[in-house]
């Protein structure tokens, strides 16, 4: 009897152990796919001007079989700050990453830390761009800084060749460097598939951040796409040719005296930096031909990079399907911000204008998300971490400022008290020859209010340079403070700045109240930057 009792107990323990192990892997896997500078207007599912070119059939599948967010926005349209907000669930001033010099150490890599508490195996593969190594992940293999498009070197925690990498002057790390042959989009996908297949703990659910370098400038695509779109005319935005009443004194100067300097252009308008320079168009060709040639070459290179991303997402999907992982994996696709593809004759991101601040955001999870869902609910990248944690079975930590939109994912509808506005702030000022003035603002579903305060948050010597010299960096300069207001319901392309129009006097006053309250609630005020606060106080009621 005693031996029989022991056998029964052992069988019970084994049953409990197996049940526990089985329960531990019933949570959904999560793959977060993010490209660099991939904007909504270059995704077919968003049905914008480039949709007819169909550059993204695989990414479109996520929308067809899941949910598409029409109003997903970043809070700071520049790489490092956006990635920091995604990882921390916090706005820039709270997580300390306001510009490209910011860093996120392992202690602030909150998203993988929280998911590991919930039993997830975590991995980060591809473009990282947050200075310090992603040590909070169980596995990483990442590009240093921007990394290379072709034959890239990536750094990992383990490997064969130990290297000492200087991430910053005061920050040195020993990591293993490996150079891989091929295009970065292919290499990053190879590494993710290898981790999924050979390196992860398969007894646990997994969380994989799969980050492409593409289509970041300067749009170096794989050779197999040399002929893609070669003989195709790429639709050109009307605002590239006629910007009408977009902008203000802050972006155009008095009598348009700054339009040759502020905002990098497609054609000859900006004498400091324009896309024709980067596309090696003969500078002696005058506009409009120079602008047309620059735009066509720019978009073809950009979309060739996008096609490479889409084809590699297809490879990732193929692995998931062949290994019975597709339907138990939440698949998220996004970009780290939007991107200007010639709209308003601008390139790059940084602006609070729609094409720059809007992020594509699509999610597939057939067990919970109804296929073909679309929502105009406002979300931003500070909300991503809380939502992913919620989907994994956790609760949003108190230190995170974002909100989970899991309910919107599952129902397609906004909760009754869901946010009706989002905040934006570009902290840098007149940087990198793109020369975007510093600004902040608020966007609702119908309206947008922007304040260009025009001063860098860092201490500057404003007497050091002269405007006319067009120096390498113009961050020392203060630009004219000015407001812009757009009625998005009637002017979705932001072609008519209506600030000062008496018809909208009460609307603008209400937006300013909301903006002031929002800045206070999310720790985005300027008490630490008295020079900026002085400008805000002096021009708040302009």
């Amino acid at each position: 009897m005693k031996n029989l009792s022991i056998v029964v107990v052992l069988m019970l323990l084994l049953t409990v152990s197996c049940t526990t192990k089985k329960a531990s892997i019933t949570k959904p896997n999560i793959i977060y796919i993010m490209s660099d500078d991939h904007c909504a207007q270059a995704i077919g599912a968003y049905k914008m001007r480039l949709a007819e070119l169909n550059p993204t059939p695989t990414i479109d599948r996520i929308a067809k079989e899941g949910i598409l967010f029409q109003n997903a926005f970043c809070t700071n349209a520049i790489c490092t700050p956006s990635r920091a907000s995604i990882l921390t669930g916090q706005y820039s001033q709270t997580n300390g990453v306001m510009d490209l010099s910011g860093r996120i150490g392992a202690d602030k890599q909150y998203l993988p830390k929280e998911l590991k508490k919930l039993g997830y195996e975590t991995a980060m593969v591809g473009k990282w761009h947050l200075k310090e190594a992603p040590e909070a992940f169980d596995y990483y293999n990442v590009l240093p800084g921007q990394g290379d498009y072709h034959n890239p070197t990536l750094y990992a925690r383990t490997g064969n060749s130990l290297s000492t990498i200087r991430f910053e002057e005061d920050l040195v790390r020993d990591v293993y460097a490996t150079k891989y042959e091929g295009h970065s989009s292919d290499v990053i996908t190879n590494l993710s598939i290898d981790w999924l297949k050979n390196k992860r703990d398969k007894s646990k659910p997994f969380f994989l951040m799969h980050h492409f370098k593409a289509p970041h400038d300067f749009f170096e695509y794989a050779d197999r796409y040399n002929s893609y779109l070669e003989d195709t005319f790429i639709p050109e935005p009307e605002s590239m040719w006629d910007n009408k009443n977009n902008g203000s004194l802050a972006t155009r100067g008095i009598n348009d005296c700054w339009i040759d300097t502020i905002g990098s252009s497609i054609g000859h308008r900006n004498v400091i930096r324009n896309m024709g320079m980067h596309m090696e168009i003969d500078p002696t060709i005058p506009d409009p031909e120079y602008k047309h040639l620059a735009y066509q070459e720019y978009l073809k290179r950009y979309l060739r990079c996008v096609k490479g991303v889409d084809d590699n997402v297809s490879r990732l999907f193929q692995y998931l399907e062949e290994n019975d992982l597709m339907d138990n994996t939440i698949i998220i696709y996004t970009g780290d911000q939007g991107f200007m593809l010639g709209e308003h004759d601008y390139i790059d991101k940084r602006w609070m204008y729609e094409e720059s601040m809007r992020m594509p955001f699509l999610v597939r999870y057939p067990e919970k998300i109804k296929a073909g869902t679309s929502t105009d609910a406002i979300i931003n990248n500070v909300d991503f971490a809380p939502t992913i944690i919620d989907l994994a079975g956790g609760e949003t930590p108190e230190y995170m400022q974002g909100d989970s939109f899991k309910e919107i994912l599952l129902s397609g509808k906004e909760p009754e008290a869901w946010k009706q506005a989002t905040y934006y702030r570009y902290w840098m000022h007149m940087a990198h020859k793109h020369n975007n003035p510093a600004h902040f603002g608020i966007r609702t579903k119908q309206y947008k209010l922007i304040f260009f305060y025009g001063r860098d948050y860092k201490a500057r010597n404003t007497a050091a340079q002269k405007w006319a010299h067009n120096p390498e960096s113009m961050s020392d300069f203060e630009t004219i403070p000015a407001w812009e207001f757009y009625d998005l319901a009637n002017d979705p392309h932001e072609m008519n700045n209506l600030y000062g129009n008496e018809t909208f006097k009460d609307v603008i006053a209400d937006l300013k109240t909301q903006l002031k309250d929002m800045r206070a609630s999310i720790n985005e005020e300027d008490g630490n930057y008295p020079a900026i606060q002085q400008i805000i106080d002096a021009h708040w009621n302009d």
Side-chain angles (χ1 to χ4, degrees):
M1 284 295 293
K2 184 176 180 181
N3 290 338
L4 180 61
S5 298
I6 292 172
V7 170
V8 170
V9 169
L10 288 172
M11 289 180 67
L12 286 171
L13 286 172
L14 181 61
T15 301
V16 170
S17 173
C18 291
T19 303
T20 302
K21 185 174 182 179
K22 184 178 180 181
S24 72
I25 59 172
T26 56
K27 290 184 176 183
N29 304 306
I30 304 169
I31 296 182
Y32 176 93
I33 307 170
M34 187 163 73
S35 297
D36 194 315
D37 295 342
H38 191 189
C39 54
Q41 62 267 36
I43 292 178
Y46 278 89
K47 297 180 169 55
M48 297 183 183
R49 78 171 191 279
L50 301 174
E52 65 189 64
L53 303 176
N54 194 30
T56 55
T58 308
I59 296 167
D60 294 352
R61 177 185 169 186
I62 303 175
K64 183 179 180 181
E65 299 176 3
I67 186 170
L68 178 148
F69 282 79
Q70 301 165 22
N71 286 328
F73 301 107
C74 63
T75 56
N76 188 349
I78 192 72
C79 299
T80 305
S82 178
R83 292 163 188 268
S85 287
I86 290 165
L87 204 66
T88 63
Q90 297 173 338
Y91 289 86
S92 294
Q93 193 163 188
T94 298
N95 64 40
V97 180
M98 281 92 85
D99 60 21
L100 293 175
S101 67
R103 62 177 65 163
I104 292 291
D107 60 325
K108 286 189 175 182
Q109 295 168 16
Y110 296 135
L111 181 53
K113 288 166 70 77
E114 294 294 338
L115 290 175
K116 285 163 75 171
K117 292 178 187 177
L118 297 170
Y120 277 76
E121 182 89 353
T122 62
M124 167 67 225
V125 179
K127 184 168 180 179
W128 172 242
H129 209 211
L130 286 168
K131 304 295 189 296
E132 299 197 31
E135 294 291 348
F137 290 83
D138 294 303
Y139 171 87
Y140 68 83
N141 208 335
V142 296
L143 294 167
Q146 292 290 353
D148 295 320
Y149 262 117
H150 296 281
N151 302 324
T153 296
L154 287 89
Y155 300 115
R157 183 180 288 114
T158 59
N160 297 320
S161 177
L162 187 64
S163 301
T164 300
I165 303 303
R166 186 175 296 278
F167 289 93
E168 292 287 338
E169 289 184 3
D170 59 341
L171 181 64
V172 175
R173 286 286 185 271
D174 289 335
V175 293
Y176 287 88
T178 304
K179 186 171 184 176
Y180 299 87
E181 291 188 6
H183 190 272
S184 66
S185 295
D186 302 334
V187 168
I188 290 164
T189 304
N190 292 344
L191 292 171
S192 283
I193 291 174
D194 179 61
W195 179 78
L196 288 166
K197 185 177 181 179
N198 301 313
K199 292 184 170 64
R200 66 185 172 94
D201 181 347
K202 294 183 180 179
S203 70
K204 296 180 179 180
F206 64 79
F207 171 64
L208 167 63
M209 298 192 87
H210 175 92
H211 291 187
F212 291 104
K213 170 180 171 61
H216 191 278
D217 64 13
F218 290 103
F219 324 115
E220 298 176 26
Y221 49 86
D223 289 344
R224 63 182 178 273
Y225 300 110
N226 283 339
S227 62
Y228 178 63
L229 301 174
E230 184 176 9
D231 299 319
T232 302
F233 172 79
I234 311 298
E236 298 173 352
E238 293 181 14
S239 61
M240 185 176 81
W241 298 105
D242 184 1
N243 203 20
K244 298 188 184 299
N245 191 39
N246 168 269
S248 60
L249 289 176
T251 63
R252 304 171 73 114
I254 299 171
N255 297 323
D256 286 351
C257 67
W258 287 353
I259 63 170
D260 66 348
T261 305
I262 289 181
S264 48
S265 62
I266 298 292
H268 281 304
R269 173 185 58 79
N270 191 308
V271 298
I272 300 174
R273 184 168 187 175
N274 64 65
M275 188 53 75
M277 297 174 180
H278 299 309
M279 298 297 103
E280 299 178 338
I281 306 301
D282 182 352
T284 66
I285 298 174
D287 281 341
E289 182 64 13
Y290 178 83
K291 180 188 285 190
H292 168 73
L293 292 172
Y295 174 84
Q296 292 295 318
E297 183 65 22
Y298 168 31
L299 266 290
K300 286 176 183 180
R301 294 188 192 184
Y302 180 89
L303 292 173
R304 287 165 185 163
C305 284
V306 168
K307 185 71 168 71
V309 165
D310 193 79
D311 287 347
N312 274 289
V313 173
S314 179
R315 290 180 58 216
L316 200 55
F317 283 11
Q318 182 180 355
Y319 173 83
L320 296 174
E321 288 171 330
E322 289 175 351
N323 290 274
D324 197 27
L325 292 168
M326 190 73 176
D327 289 344
N328 190 39
T329 299
I330 298 168
I331 299 171
I332 299 167
Y333 185 86
T334 187
D336 56 348
Q337 65 263 317
F339 208 64
M340 308 299 292
L341 297 179
E343 298 87 1
H344 309 293
D345 191 31
Y346 290 140
I347 62 177
D348 204 65
K349 50 264 187 180
R350 305 165 192 259
W351 297 106
M352 194 182 166
Y353 300 133
E354 287 294 279
E355 296 84 3
S356 171
M357 75 177 290
R358 173 179 281 117
M359 307 171 75
F361 198 86
L362 310 99
V363 187
R364 181 191 187 275
Y365 184 38
E367 184 178 322
K368 300 288 185 180
I369 297 174
K370 183 179 178 181
T373 304
S374 179
T375 176
D376 69 350
I378 290 176
I379 62 171
N380 66 45
N381 55 348
V382 175
D383 300 322
F384 293 2
T387 303
I388 292 170
I389 291 168
D390 197 359
L391 288 167
E395 296 182 358
T396 303
E398 290 186 4
Y399 59 78
M400 288 190 177
Q401 295 174 295
D403 301 302
S404 169
F405 50 86
K406 176 182 175 181
E407 185 175 339
I408 301 173
L409 285 171
L410 303 189
S411 69
K413 299 177 181 178
E414 295 178 40
E416 190 170 327
W418 188 252
K419 70 182 75 176
Q420 296 301 302
T422 189
Y423 179 75
Y424 180 89
R425 182 166 189 175
Y426 176 66
W427 283 83
M428 299 171 74
H429 177 63
M430 300 295 286
H432 306 147
K433 294 188 178 182
H434 289 298
N435 292 346
N436 308 71
H439 57 285
F440 61 73
I442 184 172
R443 190 207 191 274
T444 69
K445 289 183 180 179
Q446 185 168 356
Y447 302 115
K448 181 181 292 182
L449 181 67
I450 312 171
F451 178 55
F452 289 89
Y453 56 90
R455 182 187 173 97
D456 201 321
Y457 75 98
K458 297 177 180 176
R460 296 292 183 182
N461 178 7
T462 56
Q465 302 174 47
K466 292 184 178 180
W467 183 278
H469 289 173
N470 292 335
E472 180 74 20
S473 172
M474 301 186 73
S475 294
D476 282 337
F477 292 101
E478 292 184 38
T479 52
I480 298 174
W483 290 89
E484 296 181 17
F485 167 79
Y486 297 97
D487 177 7
L488 300 173
N490 296 299
D491 179 24
H493 300 298
E494 300 167 305
M495 300 303 295
N496 190 17
N497 175 14
L498 292 171
Y499 190 81
N501 187 309
E502 283 295 314
T503 303
F504 296 97
K505 181 179 179 181
D506 291 340
V507 171
I508 291 170
D510 178 62
L511 287 171
K512 285 188 178 182
T513 299
Q514 290 187 53
L515 179 57
K516 185 176 182 179
D517 292 344
M518 185 179 287
R519 278 167 52 79
S521 69
I522 61 175
N523 185 35
E524 280 290 309
E525 294 180 298
D526 285 275
N528 294 327
Y529 309 102
I532 294 176
Q533 187 60 53
Q534 185 178 4
I535 295 171
I536 295 170
D537 293 341
H539 294 277
W540 190 260
N541 295 316
D542 283 0

